[in-house]
Amino acid sequence: MKILLAVDGSSYTKKMLAYLAVHDQLLNPASSYTALTVCSALPSRARAALGKEIVVDYYADEANKVLQPVAKFLARKDIVVNSAYKIGSIGESIAKFADSGMFDLVVMGSHGHGSLGNLVMGSVATEVLALSKVPVLLVR
């Protein structure tokens, strides 16, 4: 099974990883895993003022802050994980990455805040569910 782990470094990511750790059918060496985090784009004026190299380094540093703890956690479970990051709209980026990577499952934590319609799942989770053709497992 090819599984995409959508992570953001929050306590909900930790809950999602803890859930996976106790479900051997979801977390096992026979499956392949990719951890994805999405960085919000800096304003265009900030990008122009800082320069391309600094901006690229900033995005990589921010992504590594989120992805390294996930990789360490999974390594303790003898799981090798590929890491990736995207820049842009979080929900849309997760859905596009999941669809284009031909994943079997997206697993993500759900924050559960936002407008009245998003109280149950959260706006990012709602967007991923609406846009992705890949099944999504939300851990709350």
Side-chain angles (χ1 to χ4, degrees):
M1 184 178 268
K2 190 173 177 185
I3 299 176
L4 176 62
L5 306 174
V7 298
D8 64 2
S10 71
S11 61
Y12 297 95
T13 293
K14 292 175 186 172
K15 286 181 183 181
M16 182 261 296
L17 292 172
Y19 178 85
L20 290 175
V22 297
H23 290 84
D24 293 338
Q25 68 274 26
L26 290 174
L27 192 63
N28 62 67
S31 294
S32 91
Y33 299 89
T34 299
L36 172 70
T37 192
V38 180
C39 302
S40 296
L42 292 171
S44 59
R45 285 186 163 189
R47 290 192 312 265
L50 293 171
K52 184 177 181 178
E53 186 177 323
I54 291 173
V55 171
V56 168
D57 289 344
Y58 167 79
Y59 288 135
D61 289 343
E62 290 300 305
N64 282 331
K65 288 177 190 175
V66 173
L67 295 169
Q68 284 180 346
V70 173
K72 286 180 185 177
F73 174 84
L74 293 173
R76 288 194 303 265
K77 304 288 183 190
D78 294 324
I79 303 293
V80 176
V81 64
N82 297 312
S83 296
Y85 71 92
K86 294 292 180 185
I87 298 143
S89 167
I90 298 169
E92 183 179 329
S93 296
I94 293 169
K96 282 183 180 179
F97 191 86
D99 292 346
S100 68
M102 299 175 59
F103 288 91
D104 299 308
L105 180 66
V106 176
V107 183
M108 60 188 292
S110 176
H111 289 243
H113 28 118
S115 66
L116 183 60
N118 294 322
L119 281 176
V120 176
M121 291 180 283
S123 59
V124 172
T126 302
E127 190 172 6
V128 173
L129 286 169
L131 297 175
S132 180
K133 295 176 182 106
V134 177
V136 178
L137 172 62
L138 297 175
V139 178
R140 186 142 196 257

